[in-house]
Each structure stands twice: as C-alpha cells, then as structure tokens.
Amino acid sequence: FFEKFKKGLQKTRETFFGKIKEVLSGKKLDEEVKEEIEELLILSDVGVEATEYIIKKIEESSGEDAYETLKKVLVEMLSDNTELNLFEKPTVINMVGVNGSGKTTTAGKLASYFSKNGKSVVLAACDTFRAAAIDQLKVWGERTNSTVIAHQEGADSAAVAFDAVNHAISKNKDIVILDTAGRLHTKKNLMEELRKINRVIKKKLESAPHEILLVIDAVTGQNGLQQAKIFKEFVNITGIVLTKLDGTAKGGIAIAIVKELGIPIKFVGLGEGVDDLKPFDAEDFVNALLE
Ligand code: GDP
C-alpha cells in the first residue's frame, strides 16, 4: 500500500513535511531550527498541542538524530488501535459524520474492501433524509455485490438499521455497514437519531455496534476536528476515517486528530477510486509524509 500512501500524500509532503528533512539534516536543534520545524508543522495543521509535544520529544532526545526521533515520535503517536474489531459475526460498523465528508462513498469503498477479502456485506441506507443517499448506496451495493437494505425516503433510520442487522443474522453475513445521516445543523436531532440506531440494534445484537467510525474530510482541517469533538460528546467513536487526504497539503490534521481526540485513525481516503481507501498504517503514513 505504500505507493498509494505516497501518491495520496503528495501535496502534504511537497508543501510542508518533505522540507523537514532538509531543515533537520546535519543541524543542531537550535532556536532557529526549532522555529522552522514548528512553523512547518503548524502550517500543515498538526495543531499547537501536537506540535508542542513533538518538539518537546525531539528536545528530550538530544544526542540522537533529530530526524529519526521525529519519525519515531510520529509513528508512536499514530500507532495505537488502528485495527478494526472484527471478531463477531456479523460485525456491525456504524458510519457517522457530516454531509459531504465522504460517508456514503467510504461505506461503499469499505464494502468493496471487505468483499475482496472474502467477506459478505450488508449495506444499510440509514440516511433516509436524502433520496440521493439511498440511491447512491444502491449503486455501491451493485458495484460490490453487497445486499442493500433500504426503506422509503423519510423512513425511520433505526428501523432500517434493525432490518439490516436482522437480515445479516438470518443470512449469516459477515459485516453490516450502516450509512447514517449527517445534518449537523440539527445537532440535537442528529445525535438522538444516532443514539436511537445504536439502542435499537442492541435489541438484536447486544455487542453492536462493534465500531462507530467517524468520517472526517481532511480538506476541512481544523474545522473537521471541531465537528469531531461534537460527535465525540454524544457517541462513542471507536475510530476515524480521514478522507480526501489527496486533496490537501494540510495532511498534518491526521496528527492533530489523534492527539486531540485520542481516537485512532483506522482508514484513510487517498482518492476517489474504489481502491483508494486504505487501512491506516502509521509507519507507511509517516514515511510517505516525510520522504
Ligand atoms: P457524504 O455526504 O458524507 O455521504 O459524502 P459522499 O460520500 O457523497 O462524498 C462526497 C464527495 O467526496 C464525493 O464526490 C466523493 O467522491 C468525494 N470523496 C470521498 N472520499 C474521497 C477521497 O478520499 N478523496 C477524494 N479526492 N474525494 C473523495
């Protein structure tokens, strides 16, 4: 997957992170160098908190190669719990996030990823507010050979989720992916809806949902991070899918997200194609950022 990471992170690498090696190579970590690194990290949306942490770690490791330390610190920051929890059959994955973040596309790409790994998938059209979202999901169902459970526009999203889990249990399917609504301007209603979905599917399968993945558009940067904080208040997010990394020079937002939310990134979107969603790998990610 490394080449995909490299290509997807090209803008971020060429604009900011790639310069770090030059700044650090063969130099002592004096105030001027520190300021340059700090500036590159902040400009790439790493955020103040994570930037200060990284600089502190480099300072503490004086004597060691600063560039290698930086790599090590970034990998450490991003490595924990990046794997999906796929132990039960069916595994229920709830996709949440604001409209436009890439939720439906990611649900489709995930279905494709699982199908290619020999798993059977049920897609649930829980965004019943937009007819287009239901249609879009049906297209993904055909494309990935997955069953789509959908009701009419305006139907109760929790009922769709319940039917999908029910269907998966009775047909012995591996994975259920719930594509939920994302109208954040009606925050209270949206969060109630998400909670209701979780409550209702528990009636069928007590440990569900096994994963609640928050989809964040990397292009929206710090704004996306603020939205994430709102979701985190209301639902128990287990992982992040960071989409559209190919469309931004500010891919450092990945580091800010993990540091500030304390939630792991589990997948990244590196393009619009079906195969452009990749399981997150901290080491590949950091190597692709830096060189
Ligand atoms: P939703 O409203 O959250 O369901 O968003 P959609 O799934 O409809 O996606 C919105 C747009 O983002 C679509 O045009 C997608 O093709 C695009 N998109 C999603 N993920 C990626 C990605 O990783 N890279 C790029 N370049 N575009 C993406």
Side-chain angles (χ1 to χ4, degrees):
F1 296 154
F2 183 62
E3 286 309 312
K4 279 271 184 201
F5 276 98
K6 262 212 103 145
K7 187 158 168 282
L9 290 169
Q10 188 179 355
K11 285 187 190 163
T12 302
R13 181 177 59 253
E14 287 178 357
T15 318
F16 301 114
F17 274 84
K19 296 190 176 140
I20 292 180
K21 188 174 190 175
E22 225 173 285
V23 175
L24 280 178
S25 70
K27 292 207 195 110
K28 261 186 35 204
L29 196 71
D30 56 18
E31 280 310 312
E32 198 186 324
V33 172
K34 251 188 280 180
E35 263 171 42
E36 268 182 80
I37 302 290
E38 232 165 39
E39 194 184 332
L40 286 170
L41 292 174
I42 296 282
L43 285 173
S44 181
D45 255 348
V46 171
V48 176
E49 194 183 326
T51 298
E52 284 177 356
Y53 175 82
I54 293 163
I55 299 285
K56 192 176 121 246
K57 285 287 182 188
I58 298 177
E59 281 172 344
E60 283 171 3
S61 72
S62 61
E64 285 167 48
D65 182 315
Y67 182 67
E68 289 305 318
T69 305
L70 169 74
K71 264 190 182 173
K72 210 169 76 191
V73 171
L74 290 179
V75 171
E76 265 168 25
M77 289 174 85
L78 296 168
S79 291
D80 280 345
N81 298 319
T82 58
E83 307 252 319
L84 285 178
N85 163 24
L86 294 175
F87 304 117
E88 193 170 9
K89 185 172 178 173
T91 294
V92 181
I93 302 176
N94 193 354
M95 312 290 301
V96 304
V98 300
N99 284 342
S101 59
K103 213 169 345 96
T104 306
T105 309
T106 301
K109 286 175 175 175
L110 266 181
S112 164
Y113 168 81
F114 288 126
S115 303
K116 282 181 185 155
N117 284 291
K119 298 203 184 297
S120 50
V121 180
V122 177
L123 286 164
C126 297
D127 183 356
T128 56
F129 195 75
R130 294 185 305 155
I134 300 174
D135 294 339
Q136 203 183 332
L137 205 67
K138 285 182 177 164
V139 173
W140 277 109
E142 279 169 29
R143 205 178 279 167
T144 61
N145 219 353
S146 310
T147 312
V148 177
I149 302 294
H151 293 186
Q152 296 294 326
E153 185 182 351
D156 180 6
S157 57
V160 182
F162 185 85
D163 279 0
V165 173
N166 218 2
H167 178 87
I169 292 170
S170 67
K171 302 281 184 210
N172 204 25
K173 304 274 183 179
D174 296 306
I175 313 263
V176 183
I177 302 174
L178 310 174
D179 182 29
T180 66
R183 308 175 304 282
L184 198 57
H185 56 279
T186 55
K187 183 172 104 186
K188 190 157 172 294
N189 293 345
L190 174 62
M191 298 305 164
E192 272 313 313
E193 185 174 318
L194 295 178
R195 284 172 164 172
K196 185 176 169 194
I197 289 174
N198 291 342
R199 235 179 10 248
V200 166
I201 55 179
K202 271 191 197 316
K203 293 193 174 146
K204 259 340 277 185
L205 199 65
E206 210 187 312
S207 48
H210 303 84
E211 292 277 355
I212 302 180
L213 299 181
L214 174 63
V215 180
I216 303 179
D217 174 349
V219 179
T220 62
Q222 292 292 330
N223 220 340
L225 182 56
Q226 293 316 314
Q227 288 162 5
K229 287 179 178 168
I230 298 175
F231 276 92
K232 193 188 164 187
E233 264 179 59
F234 292 91
V235 274
N236 179 26
I237 311 290
T238 58
I240 306 287
V241 181
L242 188 59
T243 59
K244 309 187 199 178
L245 271 168
D246 54 302
T248 180
K250 299 188 164 206
I253 192 68
I255 296 154
I257 286 171
V258 174
K259 180 78 182 145
E260 289 186 38
L261 297 178
I263 301 172
I265 297 175
K266 297 203 171 181
F267 280 86
V268 284
L270 299 160
E272 287 195 277
V274 196
D275 290 326
D276 292 332
L277 183 79
K278 292 293 168 205
F280 185 70
D281 180 280
E283 218 163 305
D284 276 356
F285 184 83
V286 170
N287 284 330
L289 266 187
L290 288 166
E291 41 195 311

